[in-house]
Amino acid sequence: MCLAVPGKIISIEPNGTGKVDYMGTTVVANLSLLPEAKVGDWVIVHAGFAISRLDRQEARRTLRLFKQLEKLNSSD
Amino acid sequence: MTRRETSAELFERFRSNLTIRTLLKAIQREIKPLNRSLRIMEVCGTHTMTLHRSGLKPLLRETGVEMVSGPGCPVCITPDFYHEAIIDLVTSRRNIVVATFGDMTRVPTRKGSLQTTVPAAGSEIKIVYSPEEAQELARNRPDSEVIFFGAGFETTIPAIAFTVRQAASEGLKNFSLLGALWLIPPAIEAILQSGEVTIDGFIYPGHVSAIIGQQAYEFVAEKYGLPGAIAGFEPADILLGLLSVVRQIRQGQPTVANEYRRVVTFNGNQKARQLMAEMFEPFEATWRGLGPIKNSGLRLKKEWQSFEAREKFRLRFEAGRPHPAGCRCGEVLKGLIDPVECPLFARSCHPDHPLGPCMVSYEGACLIEYKYSSGAKRK
Amino acid sequence: MKQISLEIGSGGRLMQEFIRDKIVRVFNNRYLKPLHDAAFLPEGLALTTDSYTVDPIFFPGGDIGSLCVNGTVNDLVVSGARPEFLSLALIIEEGIDMPDLEKILLSIKKAATRSGVKIVTGDTKVVPRGQADRIYINTAGVGRLISRPQPERINPGDKIIVTGPVGEHGLAIMLARNNFRMSSKVRSDCAPLTFLLPLWKKGALWMRDITRGGLATVLSELADRLKHPLLVEEEKIPLSRAIRGAVEILGIDPLYLACEGRALIVAGEKEAAQILKYLKKNPASRQAAIIGEVQDRIGRPGEALLRTRSGGLRLLEPLTSELLPRIC
């Protein structure tokens, strides 16, 4: 099962694992597949491994798109 | 997005009623000139889950989009003979520890399931959440042979690759892998080649794509002329993907759209792809329902054979008749029938007593249909 | 089925069938038959019993001691009875540490004092190592009826109230088993519901503590008894922040997670407003909310429906056997 929600890296251990926070619940994730990950990044974790970094700029862009569509609808 | 905004608030907006209504309306607007309804296949169990759990499926149907579930559940597409081979082993040999994901233990076969099986003395079946947990078991139990029985797509395979390589570098001799490792693009191609299902386009999986990237699906647009979009897992993500697919159809310009850009890049996770290529090689694997598909499975390369449970324990894979008679999981996985069209569905086959894997897995189309669909209330 | 499987005890459909076919049919009598949380005896008395096998026996927010008192007390409260007396039967595995046992007994005492119940009889058995898992406890409770649940008076337009955030006990137990490399602030909500007793005089028609199977199962079972369908709004169901994070990680549905200190209440529209006001004043139910209502327009009789955040409708089925056993 894929975990849709990104968590935030709050610490990185010397052994290559990181503590990832989901609204107060934390998991230990292996960061080996995401060597560029740093504290403060939002990441997608799957089967105990961080596999992707969340691009916040893109997330914001999508939210803006929703807003535009809303306007388009209301002008119908 | 302000600095204080948390991921919680972010995903709220991807689920909000307003966003959903907005997107549905936009889809409706695009679909109207087509004067027909569309059949779109999703190839990811988590998408199937989101569609049902959020109640989107009937709303989409009203909008003119029929969602068809494809082979998006790794537990479901793993044929019985993997389970039967490991059941034979754990019931006949001492000091074997089979570590596997929870869903895998409940898949019913002619030899029972891993859950109902009685292991030989000193042997046992352990549920784990990550391949690394299985490796930890091997470290802590040097007198046992630990086999990680893992089913997964490209999302899970890099984690397994990493774990095996780690075991090799540690010189861990009592750890091995029985992998049921499946690749999505060859399965999509097999579905298209068979020509059995009529589909107008695809919603591509989110996190499989995070690994393999947008480039992996280009053949669908180029060779088969079908549109598609990569989508995330929130309801709004899926609708955004559908909006793109419908637009591609209306404009007659099929492509691979990436509507999950906050997570998926064009080339995916290079490090993970390198690791997969280093450890595994493709082979013609047999899928439940779809049968043998060229280059659709991964197995450990020659140099890692000492970690291949199949070799190490001489496991015998015996392809047999589907179990049980009447179970139509195979057709469900191909998108040929809806779960409700299977004669066993909700009659002799239900979550308390599953007869096929699609009723076992959280990502299985039958279990999801049973749990969440209002149209099929059973008494 | 030739052998008993764990699923029989999971609180789901198989358990309902087992109770109907193997218990009620055999012991059939007019006190047993209604299958309430407690039996209504002559002279205005109510009797209930429950066994506790939770694993682990200590967990964030409680232990098997507080659980075995609160669980039984709550069954009486939601049946309309003021809990008065409890029995206490301990089945102890040989070798359990005395300080652990003392800690549990102290929890029992504290919980009993808090609910105003007296432990008036009991039993102690010790079984050889391996024949039980540390300790199992059975309690029975007697209470005096101050009202009777009136499901037959529930009508369309009546409101459905939940007394606080759901899922905390179930999740705290799952995490306490330490399987997930997870740490969390989630604590069990294990607590007595005696503060709900006055609501029987404020128009509550029906109450149920939300235990195994979670909110979804309770709603689905209520719908089964009624002539009208139920509709609840996902958006209005209170969930704590930590629960929302944890269920995302684990991919589980919080509506199927158990509570041990929350109840579902049904009351008429006017009364529900009064009840909500009362609940919000109490620290134990500050986050209480009206989450839905009894329907006459949407759905079919017997159905409990959820309007999702996305605006879709989905059916709430009772729990099937997927969640982990031994949470209470």
Side-chain angles (χ1 to χ4, degrees), chain A residues 18-34:
Chain A
K19 223 181 211 179
V20 181
D21 174 67
Y22 297 83
M23 295 180 271
T25 299
T26 60
V27 292
V28 175
N30 188 317
L31 302 178
S32 305
L33 299 175
L34 214 58

Side-chain angles (χ1 to χ4, degrees), chain B residues 10 30 43 54 77 88 109 112 117 171 175 259 291 313 324 334-335 366 375:
Chain B
L10 180 66
E30 292 286 337
V43 200
S54 63
I77 51 104
D88 279 346
T109 74
T117 255
F175 179 74
E259 296 299 347
F313 302 102
K334 279 196 276 193
C366 296

